[in-house]
Amino acid sequence: MSAPPDLPEIVARAFDVSRRAGYVSFCRNETGRLLAALAATRSGTMAEFGTGTGVGTAWLRSGVRRDDVRILTAELDTTLATAAAEIFTEDPQVEVLSADWSTLLDKGPFSLLFLDSGQPGEVGVDRIVDLVEPGGIVVLDDFTPSETWPPISYGRVDTLREEWLTDERFTTVDVMVASDASALIATKH
Ligand SMILES: C[S@@+](CC[C@H](N)C(=O)[O-])C[C@H]1O[C@@H](n2cnc3c(N)ncnc32)[C@H](O)[C@@H]1O
């Protein structure tokens, strides 16, 4: 047995900020490593809806391999946005906006979009599709693993997941990132 890989330095800094802010709604490390792996394939502009204190943003940033890639992230809560912005003050490739994610609507299309505002009703395919460039990737997390079709969560059909998995404008996969968590990765045609 060996120890798991260390956290990237930027992610460790984001955890420090979260701890100081008393904030715990950040993405789990399994999802973070997925974000970093996907970010490493991207050029152009990536975006995140719901920054929290910047943990997911930091994971995305840790994967970036090109100097011309930008990450825009929007957080509704001003205190959280200010805390997250602290992590990236010296980084011209990341911009934290203290704003509703709708502020990003005219800043796309994005090469990767992490939909993490915790408002499932707001992120249906029709609302999102034009924000993503062809070949662009959308990531949604915080699903409960389900082996049934349609996917079931808390005794009900998970209609958001069903919608993303069946929409013909995307090829989408439901990936278990841990025994109790899954994420969707959707690639736009
Ligand atoms: C699950 S947390 C985000 C975690 C973060 N993406 C991470 O990976 O560490 C959801 C965040 O979305 C924010 N939020 C909710 N509605 C929003 C909106 N309409 N626009 C921007 N942020 C929003 C909440 O304030 C909350 O901090």
Side-chain angles (χ1 to χ4, degrees):
M1 286 285 268
S2 60
D6 287 341
L7 291 181
E9 193 263 338
I10 187 88
V11 175
R13 274 204 281 141
F15 274 124
D16 287 343
V17 167
S18 297
R19 207 163 300 128
R20 281 202 298 277
Y23 186 80
V24 293
S25 299
F26 42 77
C27 70
R28 48 198 302 160
N29 288 349
E30 294 89 340
T31 305
R33 292 192 195 280
L34 174 68
L35 291 172
L38 295 172
T41 71
R42 301 290 89 188
S43 54
T45 305
M46 298 190 276
E48 177 184 38
F49 292 178
T51 316
T53 45
V55 173
T57 322
W59 276 113
L60 285 169
R61 181 66 181 92
S62 74
V64 169
R65 288 293 170 270
R66 297 166 56 115
D67 292 342
D68 56 351
V69 168
R70 289 182 72 217
I71 302 174
L72 303 178
T73 180
E75 170 54 53
L76 199 54
D77 181 307
T78 309
T79 308
L80 296 177
T82 305
E86 227 186 83
I87 306 163
F88 305 104
T89 38
E90 309 276 304
D91 189 340
Q93 289 181 257
V94 180
E95 188 177 350
V96 180
L97 296 135
S98 177
D100 189 283
W101 65 255
S102 58
T103 316
L104 298 177
L105 291 179
D106 62 353
K107 298 191 176 2
F110 302 110
S111 58
L112 184 150
L113 191 48
F114 179 33
L115 302 177
D116 201 27
S117 67
Q119 309 291 328
E122 294 185 351
V123 290
V125 183
D126 285 343
R127 187 126 190 243
I128 299 301
V129 61
D130 291 336
L131 300 177
V132 187
E133 64 187 33
I137 295 173
V138 179
V139 181
L140 300 97
D141 76 344
D142 293 331
F143 295 103
T144 307
S146 171
E147 292 183 357
T148 62
W149 185 261
I152 304 287
S153 183
Y154 299 106
R156 289 169 175 261
V157 172
D158 187 338
T159 52
L160 178 68
R161 198 166 9 168
E162 183 183 31
E163 182 187 338
W164 275 97
L165 284 163
T166 54
D167 195 286
E168 296 197 343
R169 293 165 288 184
F170 288 86
T171 295
T172 303
V173 62
D174 186 341
V175 180
M176 266 176 77
V177 294
S179 59
D180 60 346
S182 83
L184 296 184
I185 304 170
T187 305
K188 186 172 167 181
H189 297 162

